[in-house]
Amino acid sequence: QVQVLESGGGLVQAGGSLRLSCTTSGLTFGDYAMVWFRQAPGKEREGVLCINQSGGSIVYADSVKGRFTISRDNAKNTLYLQMNLLKPEDTAMYYCAARRSWGCSLFERSYDYWGQGTQVTVSS
C-alpha cells in the first residue's frame, strides 16, 4: 500500500522560513517525479515546484522563484520544500504528489499518488 505523507507546515511570520517534508512508502521513490502543489482558500490548486527522477527541478510558480527550493533524498524516500522569505500570499494547503511517468508535469491527473496536505499560514 502506497502512502504519501506531508509534514512541516505551520504558522510563521512573514519573512520566516519553513521546510516541508513528504515521506513516501510502498513505492520505489527514485522511479517517481515528485511535485509540490498548493491551494489557497478560494483559489485553484497551482503547481509550485517539481523534481524529476534525475534530480532536475522546474519552478512552476513564478512567485516563488529565488525563495523556494525543492530537493529529494532517495535513500530516505523523502521530498523536501525549503521555503524562505515567506509572504502572506504563500498561505495555502501544500500537497505533494508522485508521478511514475518520466519527468514533471502540471497535469494533475498524471500524478499517481497524493498526500493529504499540510497547512502553511504566513502572518503579516
Side-chain angles (χ1 to χ4, degrees), residues 8-9 16-20 38 67-69 81-86 90 94 120:
S17 298
L18 281 174
R19 187 176 81 156
L20 305 184
R38 67 183 180 183
R67 300 189 298 122
F68 290 13
T69 304
L81 182 65
Q82 178 66 44
M83 304 186 295
N84 299 326
L85 299 174
L86 282 160
D90 295 317
Y94 284 71
V120 172

Side-chain angles (χ1 to χ4, degrees), residues 4 6 20-22 34-40 45-49 79 81 92-98 108 113-120:
V4 178
E6 302 95 336
L20 305 184
S21 298
C22 172
M34 301 295 298
V35 70
W36 288 100
F37 282 90
R38 67 183 180 183
Q39 187 167 21
R45 190 155 56 187
E46 66 169 346
V48 182
L49 284 135
L79 174 73
L81 182 65
M93 184 72 78
Y94 284 71
Y95 301 89
C96 73
E108 294 184 25
Y113 304 104
W114 289 78
Q116 294 299 307
T118 185
Q119 178 67 39
V120 172

